[in-house]
Amino acid sequence: MNINDLEPKEVFRYFKEISDIPRPSYKEKAISDYLVAFAKEHNLECYQDAIYNVIMIKEATPGYENKEPIILQGHMDMVCEKTSDCTKDMEKEGLDLVVEGDWLSAEQTTLGGDDGIAVAFALALLSDETLKHPRLEFICTVSEEVGMDGARDLDVAPIKGKLLLNLDSEKEGEVLASCAGGGTARITCPVERTDEGLEDFCPIAVEVVDGKGGHSGDEIDKGRGNATILLSRVLRRLDAKGIDFRITEITGGSKDNAIPREASAKLAVKRNDGEKVKALVEEVSKEISAEFSKTDTELKVVVKDGKTGAIPMTKESTKKVLLLISSLPNGIRRMSRDIEGLVETSLNLGITYTEKTGVVLGFSVRSSVASSYAALTEKLRFVAEGLGCTVDMHGEYPAWEFKKKSPLRDTLQRIYKDMFGKDLEVRAIHAGLECGLLSGKIPGLDAVSMGPDMQDIHTPDERLSISSTARTYEFVRRIIEEL
C-alpha cells in the first residue's frame, strides 16, 4: 500500500510532506519555514522566532467563541539515526517511507514519528474547515530532542489557552500526566599522544555492533546493551590479560538520549599480540551475546582494520580514558518509591567522540526527584574531576509534576470511555516532555500528553501504527469539539 492511500488522508499527506524535509535538531530552518508557509496559505495568525519556534493560531468557529482556547503542542525536530550501511545524509535528504501492513517506517533510518505525528495532526486539524472548534493555538518547538531548547526560549505572549494537548507520546489508550526532569552532562577528558616506542605496534579496531538501542527514557528499563559501556568491558579484558595497547580513537552513539547501538575503539597493539586480541574479543563477544540474547539478538563484538592517521594516546591517557568510562555510573540508578514500575533516576552515556586533545562523553541524566538528580550530577562531577576531567551541565529542564485535579484529564477519560468502551490509562513517564517547561511559562496550565502507538523510537526500527493513528486522530478531533 502507498502512503497516499492511508487514512486519515490529510494526516498522512502532511506526514509525507514533512518527512521530505530534513529536520535534525539545531537545523530546523527548512521545516520551520514550511510551517510558516502553511500558515500563510491557510490565513492563520503566525509567529516565528529567531531560533525557528513557530506558533500558529486559528480563531474559533461560530458558536465556539466563548469556549476555552485549546493549545496543541509538539516539536519539529527529530532524532536522526541510521543503520551502519545506510548512505543517506539525513541533514540534506528526506526520508524514504515504507508501509508494511499496519506499520509505517523509514528505510534504514529513524521515522521521525517522534514528533512528526504531532505536526501532521496539527496541520490536518488547522486545515480542516469541517471541524468545529474553539480558538486553536499550535506551538511547534525546535531542538526538543537535545535539551528542549525551543520550549525553554519560547515567548508565550501570543498564547491565551490554559488547556494543553501535548502530542509527543507513543502509546494509544493512555495519557501522561507527569514526567522526569533532566539535563545533559558533557565530560571532557584531556589526553596526551605520542608515537614514540610504538615501532612494533600495529593498528586494529574493536567494534561493538548491531545493538538494539532505543530511547534512553522510555526504554532504559528494557535491559538493552549500551554499546559504549560494553566496549569498555572488552578493553578492560584486554588489559586484564596483559595486552599492551593504546587508544587512538574511541566513538559511540550520536544522541545523548539514545542508547548507543554501536561503538568503536581504534587501537595500537603489539604486532605479535594480534591473534591473542582476536581470541579475547571473540571470547567476550560470546559472553555478551549470551547475556543479552533476550534483548539484543544481533549484538556482537568484532575486530577490524584500524588504520588511521592519528597518533595514539599515551599509555597513561589510555588508562585514564578507560578508567573514566568504567567508573562513571550508567543506566537505572533507582526505581520510583511511589509508582510501581516507574524509573525514578537514570543516566545514559549516549555520545562518545575523540578530539585531538581529549575524549568527550555526553550523558543524558533524568530524575523525577530533584534531590536525586542533584546527587547524581554531583557524583558525575566528583568522579570526572577526580580524574582530571571537566564537566559542563546544560539543557536542564524541570520535571512535570502530577496535578491531582485536572478537568482536562477528566474530560478526556469521559470521551475515551464513550468512544472506545474502555478506560483511558493515566500514568507518569521517565522520559522528559516539554509540558514541564510550558507549565512554568503558562500559570494555571492544565496539560496532558498523548499520541498513537509507536515502537522503537530513536532507532532505525522506529515504526508508527497506521490504525492507531486513525483512532487517535479521531479522539483528538472529538476532544476539540467537546471541550
Side-chain angles (χ1 to χ4, degrees), residues 170-181:
E170 296 87 33
K171 186 176 180 182
E172 182 188 358
E174 72 174 27
V175 294
L176 303 179
S178 177
C179 75

Side-chain angles (χ1 to χ4, degrees), residues 22 24 78 80-81 88-93 95 109-110:
M78 64 173 282
C80 293
E81 288 282 307
K88 181 183 293 294
D89 184 345
M90 296 187 75
E91 293 189 1
K92 297 178 180 179
E93 300 175 71
L95 307 177
T109 69
T110 41

Side-chain angles (χ1 to χ4, degrees), residues 245-281:
F245 67 90
R246 311 284 191 274
I247 296 174
T248 301
E249 176 184 291
I250 185 166
T251 59
S254 60
K255 299 291 182 297
D256 297 306
N257 58 2
I259 301 167
R261 297 177 294 108
E262 299 183 345
S264 172
K266 292 183 178 179
L267 310 174
V269 302
K270 286 189 174 180
R271 295 182 192 280
N272 57 7
D273 281 339
E275 291 305 313
K276 188 176 180 181
V277 168
K278 291 179 182 178
L280 287 170
V281 169

Side-chain angles (χ1 to χ4, degrees), residues 410-423:
D410 293 343
T411 300
L412 265 61
Q413 288 177 302
R414 174 183 59 79
I415 294 173
Y416 189 84
K417 184 66 174 285
D418 182 61
M419 289 183 68
F420 302 108
K422 51 188 176 182
D423 292 331

Side-chain angles (χ1 to χ4, degrees), residues 204-209 226-243 245 247 250 263-265 267 276-289 299-303 322 325-326:
I204 66 166
V206 177
E207 299 183 358
V208 178
V209 297
N226 181 308
T228 308
I229 298 299
L230 294 174
L231 178 62
S232 71
R233 171 176 167 177
V234 178
L235 299 184
R236 289 197 304 272
R237 179 66 59 85
L238 298 183
D239 180 76
K241 296 298 183 179
I243 301 297
F245 67 90
I247 296 174
I250 185 166
S264 172
L267 310 174
K276 188 176 180 181
V277 168
K278 291 179 182 178
L280 287 170
V281 169
E282 184 178 354
E283 175 184 287
V284 184
S285 181
K286 289 179 180 178
E287 293 174 4
I288 290 173
S289 296
L299 184 65
K300 56 184 174 291
V301 190
V302 297
V303 176
L322 185 54
I325 297 174
S326 301

